[in-house]
Amino acid sequence: MTETETEPSGGDIAADPIEVRLRRALGARSIVLVGLMGAGKSTVGRRLAARLGLMFKDADNEIEAAAHLTIPDIFAIYGEPSFREGEERVIARLIREGPLVLATGGGAFMREATRARIAQGGVSVWLKAELDVLMRRVRKRGNRPLLQTDDPEETMRQLMEIRHPVYGSADVMIPSRDVSHDRVVEDVMEALDAYLNGPSNQGVAAQ
């Protein structure tokens, strides 16, 4: 083999586009977006999937398709525990179909079995948004079953207190700010690159 035919050096690999580095590092694993309603998981997830050339799936949409019911109807007819069981099965199936980018419902990551499935077949990314940002976003849609209360903002605050410590076990955390979705996608990709490929950050969640 001549000098010009030698294998690429580590430096050449590091110079690959970030999309190539992430696809290589992910292998068969999926990117799983977690966080509260209004964090931007679906919108960011679609754009992230497009950047990486991966399929995008929204767990809530898949649940509705499987049940032939809307999420609010599932809650109303069968209750939240039944919904969570179905959600767990759907997420397990989607992860098996990976690699893909998967947006999950706000309560999905709270189930230990679902967290284990995600850890086994994916890399979890917590999109963390402040209360005022979440409320501005969720007020645009009136079909959030958990916010059908007398004080939706207080309900959201309570959800944050309960869920944030669990979301904190995700592999990567990214602030979901009032900036363009493309900027958040860049933030996610850079953090994943550091988490998956950074020699000094291997296995360390981005902060």
Side-chain angles (χ1 to χ4, degrees), residues 9-183:
S9 67
D12 291 330
I13 293 172
D16 284 340
I18 190 170
E19 294 88 349
V20 174
R21 294 199 302 272
L22 289 178
R23 284 294 303 269
R24 181 190 299 120
L26 283 168
R29 290 179 292 176
S30 295
I31 298 170
V32 183
L33 302 178
V34 305
L36 283 165
M37 63 190 89
K41 294 167 299 211
S42 296
T43 305
V44 170
R46 285 191 189 90
R47 296 182 185 218
L48 177 63
R51 285 286 302 272
L52 296 177
L54 293 171
M55 289 189 302
F56 170 76
K57 295 287 186 178
D58 184 301
D60 282 353
N61 291 346
E62 296 294 315
I63 292 164
E64 290 182 335
H68 303 291
L69 291 168
T70 66
I71 299 295
D73 284 345
I74 296 172
F75 266 75
I77 297 170
Y78 299 108
E80 184 176 359
S82 179
F83 169 79
R84 296 301 176 196
E85 291 174 5
E87 180 179 54
E88 180 183 327
R89 291 193 296 271
V90 167
I91 289 174
R93 170 177 59 81
L94 292 171
I95 289 176
R96 287 195 301 270
E97 295 173 0
L100 49 80
V101 176
L102 174 61
T104 63
F109 204 64
M110 301 301 293
R111 286 179 72 94
E112 184 177 356
T114 298
R115 292 198 301 276
R117 294 274 190 182
I118 293 170
Q120 183 178 32
V123 179
S124 51
V125 178
W126 174 21
L127 294 183
K128 181 181 181 183
E130 298 301 324
L131 178 63
D132 59 332
V133 174
L134 293 172
M135 294 309 300
R136 279 199 301 273
R137 293 173 178 173
V138 299
R139 286 191 179 106
K140 297 176 183 177
R141 293 175 58 187
N143 63 341
R144 308 282 190 173
L146 295 182
L147 294 184
Q148 304 306 307
T149 64
D150 293 335
D151 189 347
E153 184 167 332
E154 177 58 27
T155 301
M156 181 71 85
R157 186 178 289 107
Q158 293 173 6
L159 287 172
M160 293 173 75
E161 291 176 1
I162 294 168
R163 293 181 176 180
H164 277 197
V166 179
Y167 293 155
S169 66
D171 297 315
V172 172
M173 185 279 284
I174 296 297
S176 179
R177 304 162 290 150
D178 273 340
V179 296
S180 72
H181 290 115
D182 287 333
R183 176 64 258 178

